[in-house]
Amino acid sequence: MIDKLVEKIKKTEAPIVVGLDPMLKYVPEHLKKKAYDEYGETLKGAAEAIWLFNKEIIDNICDLIPAVKPQIAMYEQFGIEGLVVFKRTVDYCKEKGLVVIGDIKRGDIGSTSEAYAIGHIGKVQVGSKLYSGFDEDFITVNPYFGSDGVTPFIKVCKEENKGIFLLVKTSNPSSGEIQDRVIEGRPLYEHVGEMVAKWGEDCMGSSYSNVGAVVGATYPEQGKILRKLMPKTFILVPGYGAQGGKGADLVHFFNEDGLGAIVNSSRGIIAAYQQEQYAKFGAEHFAEASREAVLAMKEDIAGALGK
Amino acid sequence: MIDKLVEKIKKTEAPIVVGLDPMLKYVPEHLKKKAYDEYGETLKGAAEAIWLFNKEIIDNICDLIPAVKPQIAMYEQFGIEGLVVFKRTVDYCKEKGLVVIGDIKRGDIGSTSEAYAIGHIGKVQVGSKLYSGFDEDFITVNPYFGSDGVTPFIKVCKEENKGIFLLVKTSNPSSGEIQDRVIEGRPLYEHVGEMVAKWGEDCMGSSYSNVGAVVGATYPEQGKILRKLMPKTFILVPGYGAQGGKGADLVHFFNEDGLGAIVNSSRGIIAAYQQEQYAKFGAEHFAEASREAVLAMKEDIAGALGK
């Protein structure tokens, strides 16, 4: 699966993933009205509003980017109805040829991690039949349990040609409280980075591993160190845009081949029409604003990479 | 919510939580047949089989125990249909008067943790209405992101009188790879334990905090230390039974008031009929075997606690 992602990044010339993390406050009033008129102010109505929002954005940007990253929490908050729309979004993005990174941050003891892996990137057996529950291409995984919580995901990656991104250094302000604690002279995230590189050796694509890492754009110095510690590890970089990460911060997340990282922006793209810069589009044309924001992000990153 | 849990533990004289972590291999053939006859060998059929299994167990043990802990991964592996049965299980257990600990191990950056908190223990706003997505009483939370990933859960606990259990030292064999790493002379789990105690001060019930901790029964020595570091923290103790933890190992997880911990058993209870000890019940009477296993666990723990 990492080979497919790399190929699509090359083809689109965009090491960019758009975070489909919809909140109702991002959804224009006319879409909410349409959904509530049909289903009322219900969980189903909210989920429908989000689906209409996602679909129009996807239709307007799918030719520009290699991948999307729906954040399952934003759907899970609406219960079952929200998760139905998460699944519909995953399926629709795949139909459109996009690689789908399910941002689910699961992780547990071995038998439980196996169930998550089966549900999101594998197949579950029911009698004589096999089914995919959610069927993302990649998922994000929390490494706090250590290797027996991680290897069930890697096993399924190998069986199904899928991939994972393990949390190494997250983009949030307090990530250092645990992840930066110093162990044998080096911060925890470096140790975790080495574990990720090692786990990844067992699941290689042609140049990069199907076992990737999450390192926040908000920590460029740490990114530089981790890039060197994990040369074959693809890095998923959240925190660009709304969280404060800038194009110039991203250079060191990439390898000299211009690859090795994919940068996520969520709010900055999907709610672009709510920013002053794109206000001219208006709420009716919100998805065109998203398209403009993708083009601007592409240019910002290409500039930073000297392309 | 911690006060309700403590009260129910006192009433049932059982500091026990039963893990509703169904796998199809635990479900007796006659229930699978019934479900597949109705819905085919489909995700819906599998989910129905699990529902029939859960319901019969709940009906047979609900008077003996204070709480259940459904592990969402075991439902999520069947996609949407599985999650529908997770929700149905949560609702049914609450109807039966049980405290429900959703074992979901979520955790993310602030805005995303907020969405998980809203979806599982809070309410989401849709227009002028408020809805609960899953509505557990407690949930388990992964602390790897640090305080800004945790405090959104605590905020919702306070608003809704709910609770959380944060992972401190997990029961799996490789938990030490990250959690035992030594920082300033002490293992990471002790530092996390101190963070949990501190977070908990802000969300107290009458004797214990609504912010609890997860510490595996498989690590009794660590449990002893953590018990002292977190005197007002209720400890959820997985790993008893099938994972190897014994009654005698559990003593130090409790305070001198005989409270402060609740011990989970999953397979050992729900799949009791598959063990030699309870084979006499047969698959038809699987739920009676579960009842016997709960009574035996209750006795084992009471004996260990000198009651």
Side-chain angles (χ1 to χ4, degrees):
Chain A
M1 190 49 72
I2 191 68
D3 288 346
K4 184 176 172 188
L5 180 61
V6 168
E7 183 199 313
K8 286 192 68 73
I9 289 172
K10 284 180 180 167
K11 199 171 156 194
T12 54
E13 297 181 325
I16 288 174
V17 52
V18 171
L20 297 174
D21 309 356
M23 296 176 82
L24 280 179
K25 66 184 176 189
Y26 303 157
V27 178
E29 288 304 322
H30 69 283
L31 292 186
K32 281 193 272 205
K33 184 171 185 315
K34 191 176 171 192
Y36 297 165
D37 281 352
E38 193 166 358
Y39 298 107
E41 288 182 349
T42 61
L43 292 172
K44 195 174 174 76
E48 176 69 10
I50 281 170
W51 164 246
L52 296 172
F53 180 66
N54 280 354
K55 183 175 181 302
E56 200 163 330
I57 291 174
I58 296 160
D59 288 342
N60 270 272
I61 65 173
C62 63
D63 59 315
L64 299 178
I65 55 169
V68 290
K69 181 173 76 61
Q71 166 53 259
I72 200 168
M74 298 306 168
Y75 303 83
E76 207 165 314
Q77 68 182 323
F78 299 103
I80 301 294
E81 297 296 346
L83 287 161
V84 167
V85 164
F86 174 79
K87 170 71 174 140
R88 195 182 301 165
T89 300
V90 169
D91 290 346
Y92 189 69
C93 290
K94 288 172 71 173
E95 264 174 58
K96 291 282 177 178
L98 294 161
V99 171
V100 177
I101 303 169
D103 198 354
I104 67 171
K105 299 194 178 73
R106 302 310 196 235
D108 208 300
I109 65 167
S111 54
T112 308
S113 279
E114 192 184 344
Y116 280 129
I118 283 172
H120 285 277
I121 52 174
K123 295 192 184 75
V124 68
Q125 183 138 18
V126 182
S128 58
K129 309 268 176 61
L130 289 171
Y131 295 96
S132 295
F134 288 101
D135 208 20
E136 298 102 307
D137 296 316
F138 287 85
I139 50 174
T140 55
V141 171
N142 190 315
Y144 191 65
F145 286 81
S147 54
D148 62 35
V150 170
T151 48
F153 289 101
I154 297 176
K155 180 168 171 280
V156 173
C157 285
K158 288 200 277 192
E159 287 165 4
E160 303 283 342
N161 185 28
K162 300 268 180 141
I164 58 173
F165 290 97
L166 283 151
L167 307 181
V168 174
K169 172 66 181 169
T170 58
S171 61
N172 56 313
S174 68
S175 67
E177 289 175 16
I178 290 181
Q179 299 163 30
D180 291 3
R181 299 303 294 260
V182 175
I183 294 156
E184 295 167 14
R186 292 189 308 156
L188 175 60
Y189 62 78
E190 288 190 24
H191 295 278
V192 177
E194 284 182 342
M195 289 162 81
V196 170
K198 199 159 174 57
W199 287 323
E201 286 170 7
D202 195 30
C203 197
M204 285 296 296
S206 54
S207 309
Y208 287 95
S209 174
N210 285 295
V211 178
V214 175
V215 184
T218 41
Y219 297 105
E221 286 307 311
Q222 292 84 336
K224 191 173 176 177
I225 293 160
L226 288 163
R227 177 68 286 163
K228 286 188 184 127
L229 276 179
M230 318 181 293
K232 302 284 186 195
T233 304
F234 225 81
I235 304 179
L236 171 62
V237 188
Y240 174 88
Q243 285 185 56
K246 292 181 183 59
D249 295 335
L250 299 169
V251 181
H252 300 298
F253 291 84
F254 289 83
N255 275 321
E256 285 177 10
D257 59 1
L259 290 167
I262 185 162
V263 182
N264 181 77
S265 179
S266 301
R267 260 175 298 173
I269 306 293
I270 66 173
Y273 79 101
Q274 294 181 339
Q275 299 163 36
E276 208 182 317
Q277 193 180 352
Y278 301 106
K280 64 185 178 201
F281 287 96
E284 282 287 334
H285 301 280
F286 70 97
E288 292 162 50
S290 295
R291 185 176 178 88
E292 278 295 302
V294 168
L295 290 168
M297 179 178 174
K298 199 170 154 178
E299 199 176 333
D300 181 34
I301 293 178
L305 295 179
K307 282 185 176 169
Chain B
M1 190 49 73
I2 190 68
D3 289 345
K4 184 176 172 188
L5 181 62
V6 168
E7 182 197 312
K8 286 192 67 72
I9 288 172
K10 284 180 179 166
K11 198 171 157 192
T12 55
E13 296 180 327
I16 287 175
V17 51
V18 172
L20 297 174
D21 310 355
M23 296 175 81
L24 280 179
K25 65 184 178 190
Y26 304 156
V27 179
E29 288 304 321
H30 69 282
L31 291 186
K32 281 193 271 206
K33 185 171 184 312
K34 191 176 171 192
Y36 296 166
D37 282 353
E38 194 166 357
Y39 299 108
E41 289 181 347
T42 60
L43 292 172
K44 196 174 174 77
E48 176 68 12
I50 281 170
W51 164 245
L52 295 172
F53 179 67
N54 279 354
K55 182 175 182 301
E56 201 163 329
I57 291 173
I58 296 159
D59 287 341
N60 270 273
I61 65 174
C62 63
D63 60 315
L64 299 178
I65 55 170
V68 290
K69 181 174 76 61
Q71 167 52 261
I72 200 169
M74 298 305 169
Y75 303 83
E76 205 166 314
Q77 67 182 325
F78 299 104
I80 301 294
E81 298 295 347
L83 288 161
V84 168
V85 164
F86 174 79
K87 170 72 175 140
R88 195 181 302 163
T89 300
V90 170
D91 291 345
Y92 189 69
C93 291
K94 287 173 71 173
E95 263 174 59
K96 291 281 176 180
L98 294 162
V99 171
V100 177
I101 303 170
D103 197 355
I104 67 171
K105 298 193 179 74
R106 303 307 195 239
D108 209 301
I109 65 168
S111 54
T112 308
S113 280
E114 192 185 343
Y116 280 129
I118 284 172
H120 285 277
I121 52 175
K123 295 194 184 75
V124 69
Q125 182 138 18
V126 181
S128 58
K129 309 268 177 58
L130 288 171
Y131 294 96
S132 294
F134 289 100
D135 209 19
E136 298 102 306
D137 296 315
F138 288 85
I139 51 174
T140 55
V141 171
N142 190 314
Y144 191 65
F145 287 81
S147 54
D148 62 36
V150 170
T151 48
F153 289 100
I154 298 175
K155 181 169 171 279
V156 174
C157 285
K158 288 200 277 192
E159 287 165 2
E160 304 283 342
N161 186 26
K162 300 268 181 142
I164 59 173
F165 291 98
L166 282 151
L167 306 180
V168 174
K169 171 67 182 168
T170 59
S171 61
N172 56 313
S174 69
S175 68
E177 291 176 15
I178 290 181
Q179 299 163 30
D180 290 3
R181 300 302 295 261
V182 176
I183 295 156
E184 295 167 14
R186 292 189 309 155
L188 176 59
Y189 62 78
E190 289 190 24
H191 295 277
V192 177
E194 284 182 343
M195 290 161 81
V196 169
K198 198 158 175 59
W199 287 324
E201 286 170 8
D202 195 29
C203 196
M204 284 296 295
S206 54
S207 309
Y208 288 95
S209 175
N210 285 295
V211 178
V214 175
V215 183
T218 41
Y219 297 105
E221 286 307 311
Q222 292 85 336
K224 191 174 176 176
I225 293 161
L226 287 163
R227 177 68 286 162
K228 287 189 184 128
L229 276 179
M230 315 180 296
K232 302 283 185 196
T233 304
F234 225 81
I235 304 180
L236 171 63
V237 188
Y240 174 89
Q243 285 185 56
K246 292 180 187 58
D249 295 335
L250 297 170
V251 182
H252 300 299
F253 291 84
F254 289 84
N255 275 322
E256 285 176 10
D257 59 2
L259 290 167
I262 185 162
V263 182
N264 180 76
S265 179
S266 301
R267 262 176 296 174
I269 305 293
I270 66 172
Y273 79 102
Q274 294 181 339
Q275 299 163 36
E276 209 183 316
Q277 193 180 351
Y278 302 106
K280 63 184 179 203
F281 287 96
E284 282 288 333
H285 301 279
F286 69 98
E288 292 163 49
S290 295
R291 186 176 178 87
E292 278 296 301
V294 168
L295 290 168
M297 180 177 174
K298 200 171 151 175
E299 200 175 330
D300 182 34
I301 292 178
L305 295 179
K307 283 188 178 170

